[in-house]
């Protein structure tokens, strides 16, 4: 209980799966691809590296994301997020700052 695990597990056909177990999980689960299927790796080393990258991102929380491990930065991620929020169809959405209730008449 309350333990973390990360390991590479062999599959049929000579490939490998990256397995992760977080403290909230009862057992290890495979690392999934974008389609929701277990990611398959050609060797044990690449599966183990994927486990390490995802655990680092998990433990660092908001400081690191999977995109940063691949080479992006937090600045780029924040900028892209802001662009998605404020640029809808090329139209600029103006933002007005309003001070808190303290000091109002």
């Amino acid at each position: 209980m309350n333990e973390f695990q990360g390991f590479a597990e062999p599959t049929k056909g000579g490939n490998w799966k990256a397995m992760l177990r977080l403290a909230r999980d009862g057992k290890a689960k495979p690392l999934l691809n974008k389609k929701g299927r277990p990611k398959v790796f050609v060797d044990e080393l690449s599966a183990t590296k994927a486990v390490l990258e995802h655990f680092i991102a998990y433990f660092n929380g908001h400081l690191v994301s999977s995109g940063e491990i691949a080479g992006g930065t937090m600045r780029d991620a924040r900028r892209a997020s802001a662009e998605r929020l404020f640029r809808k169809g090329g139209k600029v959405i103006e933002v007005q700052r309003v001070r808190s209730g303290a000091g109002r008449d």
Side-chain angles (χ1 to χ4, degrees):
M1 190 171 165
N2 291 337
E3 68 180 48
F4 294 88
Q5 292 178 340
F7 55 92
E9 181 177 273
T11 64
K12 295 177 184 175
N15 293 320
W16 294 83
K17 289 190 297 186
M19 303 294 289
L20 303 162
R21 180 182 185 270
L22 304 177
R24 66 176 181 244
D25 299 328
K27 62 179 183 173
K29 297 177 184 175
L31 181 64
L32 303 177
N33 63 17
K34 291 183 181 181
K35 295 180 181 179
R37 296 189 183 115
K39 247 183 182 178
V40 179
F41 298 90
V42 295
D43 59 2
E44 184 178 11
L45 179 61
S46 59
T48 306
K49 283 182 178 180
V51 168
L52 178 62
E53 287 178 359
H54 281 77
F55 265 125
I56 289 171
Y58 175 80
F59 286 125
N60 286 331
H62 67 282
L63 300 175
V64 177
S65 68
S66 296
E68 288 185 334
I69 293 171
T73 64
M74 282 302 292
R75 182 187 166 279
D76 295 339
R78 287 183 181 137
R79 174 86 182 193
S81 177
E83 290 294 332
R84 283 192 302 273
L85 284 174
F86 295 108
R87 301 268 181 195
K88 302 284 184 178
K91 186 170 104 178
V92 176
I93 300 171
E94 292 188 31
V95 178
Q96 179 183 1
R97 293 185 184 256
V98 179
R99 298 186 81 180
S100 65
R104 288 189 181 175
D105 294 334

